[in-house]
Amino acid sequence: MSTSKSHPERTAFAARAEEWLAAAVPSRWRDRRGTLDEDEQNVIRREWDRQLHRAGFAGLSLPKEFGGQGLTLAEEIIFADLSARAKAPDGLARIGRILTAPTLIAHGTPDQLERFLPKILDGDEVWCQGFSEPSAGSDLAGVECRATKVDGGYLVSGRKTWTSFSSLADRCLLLAKSSPDAPRHRNLTMLMLDMRRDGVHISPIKQASGLAHFAEVSFENVFVDERDRIAGDGDGWKVAMTVLTNERGGVEATSRYVEIRADMDLLAGQLAGRSEYAEILRELDTRVELVYWQVAKVVDIDPADDEYFRATSVLKVTWSELWKRIAALGLKTADATNADYWRFQYLETRAASIYSGSSEIQRNIISERVLGMPR
């Protein structure tokens, strides 16, 4: 992951990316983001996705034959770090690029790759993820949203919750129960549902932090064409594991590391000179750099290797629980100048330890599938 002399190609990439970001980041986003309303922010974020594509910074680690840049996770990490330093926008196409695109490359048909990948990479289509449900909790295999087989496809009925970008999304990567009588893990199917179809109803969820990143989405007999099914009927669990591996993997963890590092630096400045916090600051700073080390480790592992699964499972718990500790201490020691910021971060980091698999579920996975402990 280093951009040292041992990796001259990464050094050259970093220099090109840094120069482009310095010129490309909109000044009104960099300087006035806090004063922009949500609609204006979304206009900038959507255009940012298109700028990334035009400049060759979209799909950095996706193979060239699928429209990507054919680079590695190392370049993804370098670009995420430089983007944070440049105060660049976070585009709206992240779910499509991080989750849908690699999942289609792993399981999709040539027709699906041709229809969806270009629009994902150039930012023309925004995607959301339909996994969590109000009654299923963290039990992904227990989803009850139904996909009933009909002539030419499926009719989807049910509810999904905590659905990011759903109010803006064109498509939903949706896991549904298609065979109620089939064995657990063999009764699910992954569909790419058109969010503009009749029968889709979106109810924004206002978070404790005051934002409404998420929504609950209900589906009433929404038709999904059979050619918009990923892999076979009943293969949804297998496809979902690919999605979650990418969600917990290097690209997502890198963006989180950048945010955590920024919060750690802010906390260190806030507590500078307060000797009673010196030891805990050293511990937290060490743990932040351990996240960086773990991300660096993931960079050089083949995603198809079992070691990649083990590393990313540990990584999700590590960064989400650490971020909670940093935010909690920031709030505890805040003054009038930064109390609002830390209050917001405190609430946001609680959500981070739940989505993409709660810390409790992740620990169960690690104990069973990484350590080999009995259930």
Side-chain angles (χ1 to χ4, degrees):
M1 191 164 63
S2 168
T3 60
S4 67
K5 293 180 180 179
S6 61
H7 295 284
E9 71 286 353
R10 294 177 187 174
T11 302
F13 172 82
R16 178 168 67 89
E18 188 172 20
E19 181 181 4
W20 181 80
L21 285 163
V25 174
S27 59
R28 59 188 175 134
W29 177 274
R30 185 180 58 244
D31 303 330
R32 297 176 45 229
R33 179 183 176 183
T35 66
L36 302 177
D37 63 34
E38 189 173 0
D39 288 340
E40 189 172 1
Q41 286 191 33
N42 287 335
V43 169
I44 293 173
R45 295 171 75 188
R46 186 179 287 274
E47 177 56 29
W48 184 249
D49 287 320
R50 297 184 176 119
Q51 285 182 256
L52 289 174
H53 182 256
R54 289 194 296 266
F57 291 112
L60 291 173
S61 58
L62 294 179
K64 286 186 177 181
E65 60 266 34
F66 298 112
Q69 302 302 316
L71 301 175
T72 69
L73 279 177
E75 282 79 13
E76 295 271 16
I77 291 171
I78 291 167
F79 192 76
D81 187 22
L82 292 173
S83 295
R85 296 175 190 275
K87 298 181 180 180
D90 182 14
L92 300 177
R94 58 180 291 114
I95 290 178
R97 288 177 180 157
I98 295 174
L99 304 185
T100 308
T103 299
L104 284 175
I105 289 171
H107 301 286
T109 65
D111 171 68
Q112 290 170 344
L113 293 168
E114 183 178 351
R115 285 191 294 129
F116 294 118
L117 282 188
K119 293 180 180 180
I120 289 172
L121 290 173
D122 67 16
D124 277 355
E125 279 195 347
V126 175
W127 286 67
C128 62
Q129 180 185 359
F131 277 27
S132 298
E133 296 185 5
S135 60
S138 294
D139 181 15
L140 184 58
V143 299
E144 291 295 336
C145 184
R146 295 293 180 92
T148 304
K149 296 177 186 176
V150 295
D151 186 31
Y154 299 83
L155 288 179
V156 173
S157 294
R159 291 189 297 165
K160 295 292 181 179
T161 194
W162 311 122
T163 312
S164 302
F165 301 126
S166 54
S167 61
L168 302 168
D170 301 288
R171 289 270 174 174
C172 179
L173 192 61
L174 183 136
L175 186 66
K177 181 181 288 187
S178 56
S179 304
D181 299 326
R184 184 176 169 90
H185 298 122
R186 291 293 303 163
N187 58 352
L188 305 172
T189 296
M190 189 71 72
L191 302 171
M192 296 179 287
L193 182 143
D194 185 346
M195 291 290 286
R196 309 303 179 192
R197 279 192 175 273
D198 292 339
V200 177
H201 305 283
I202 301 171
S203 302
I205 299 172
K206 189 173 183 179
Q207 300 159 240
S209 61
L211 297 183
H213 288 315
F214 313 111
E216 181 169 307
V217 185
S218 64
F219 306 96
E220 296 179 10
N221 291 322
V222 181
F223 179 75
V224 180
D225 195 290
E226 190 170 25
R227 70 176 187 151
D228 292 341
R229 180 189 69 211
I230 303 178
D233 188 90
D235 287 335
W237 182 256
K238 176 181 68 177
V239 179
M241 292 304 98
T242 299
V243 175
L244 290 179
T245 297
N246 286 304
E247 189 173 16
R248 298 165 185 160
V251 178
E252 176 66 13
T254 298
S255 64
R256 297 305 179 186
Y257 163 77
V258 171
E259 294 178 76
I260 295 168
R261 179 72 266 172
D263 275 357
M264 185 65 227
D265 291 344
L266 180 63
L267 180 63
Q270 178 175 308
L271 297 177
R274 298 182 63 174
S275 58
E276 68 271 30
Y277 290 106
E279 184 175 347
I280 190 171
L281 285 175
R282 283 194 295 269
E283 179 205 346
L284 290 174
D285 191 75
T286 299
R287 290 184 178 277
V288 171
E289 289 314 296
L290 285 173
V291 170
Y292 184 88
W293 175 86
Q294 186 74 358
V295 172
K297 177 181 176 182
V298 169
V299 165
D300 295 318
I301 303 174
D302 184 345
D305 195 305
D306 286 344
E307 187 181 354
Y308 185 85
F309 172 82
R310 294 193 292 269
T312 53
S313 293
V314 172
L315 189 53
K316 172 57 170 62
V317 175
T318 302
W319 70 253
S320 59
E321 292 299 316
L322 173 62
W323 203 8
K324 283 168 61 175
R325 289 187 61 193
I326 292 170
L329 183 58
L331 181 60
K332 178 183 176 181
T333 59
D335 58 27
T337 64
N338 53 27
D340 286 344
Y341 174 82
W342 285 118
R343 190 176 296 112
F344 176 85
Q345 288 299 85
Y346 178 85
L347 295 169
E348 285 288 291
T349 58
R350 261 84 195 132
S353 65
I354 296 172
Y355 57 64
S356 303
S358 69
S359 293
E360 292 76 13
I361 291 295
Q362 283 300 110
R363 289 187 177 104
N364 285 340
I365 291 172
I366 292 167
S367 66
E368 294 169 13
R369 298 183 59 184
V370 177
L371 301 177
M373 298 174 65
R375 301 191 65 174

